[in-house]
Amino acid sequence: QVQLVESGGGLVQPGGSLRLSCAASETIFSINTMAWYRQAPGNQRELVAAIISGGRTNYADSVKGRFTISRGKAENTLYLQMNSLKPEDTAAYYCNIDSHDEYGVGHDYWGQGTQVTVSS
């Protein structure tokens, strides 16, 4: 029912910055965690950054100090600020929201992915 749409990907030179956004098509009753994953061709989908219960954030070692995950307060929106981008950051980036509804049923939503290409 809920659809996640990512935006903000594109082609950028090494050292550049991008800001990814993820918007839910409708209100989500209760969000447990929000996260960004990425997947390069032939590789496993890996966790990049997450916001967990209590508002704590978790980052992959490879992006610490360069990426920042945040969420909007007035809407079901997730952001990923990516600075000092490297060619190895090239991947399709996916938004993920783990939630539960008013009946206590869990839901795990995924976006369709947005491509980030870091190249000179």
Side-chain angles (χ1 to χ4, degrees):
Q1 181 173 278
V2 174
Q3 184 174 355
L4 304 183
V5 179
E6 301 105 328
S7 63
L11 175 64
V12 65
Q13 292 186 331
S17 297
L18 287 173
R19 182 176 173 86
L20 305 184
S21 299
C22 172
S25 61
E26 59 189 88
T27 300
I28 297 174
F29 181 76
S30 183
I31 296 173
N32 301 325
T33 60
M34 307 179 78
W36 287 96
Y37 289 75
R38 68 185 181 188
Q39 186 171 20
N43 292 344
Q44 293 273 1
R45 186 171 297 186
E46 64 175 349
L47 178 66
V48 176
I51 299 175
I52 60 178
S53 180
R56 291 189 174 188
T57 56
N58 183 39
Y59 296 92
D61 288 340
S62 60
V63 307
K64 284 182 178 178
R66 300 189 297 119
F67 290 11
T68 303
I69 188 171
S70 61
R71 60 177 293 179
K73 296 295 185 181
E75 57 186 325
N76 294 310
T77 307
L78 183 68
Y79 303 100
L80 184 67
Q81 179 66 45
M82 305 184 294
N83 299 325
S84 302
L85 283 162
K86 304 175 180 180
E88 48 263 48
D89 295 318
T90 296
Y93 284 71
Y94 298 88
C95 174
N96 170 251
I97 298 179
D98 181 63
S99 67
H100 63 271
D101 61 23
E102 60 267 43
Y103 306 103
V105 178
H107 299 277
D108 192 28
Y109 300 107
W110 289 90
Q112 82 290 344
T114 185
Q115 180 67 37
V116 172
T117 302
V118 185
S119 176
S120 60

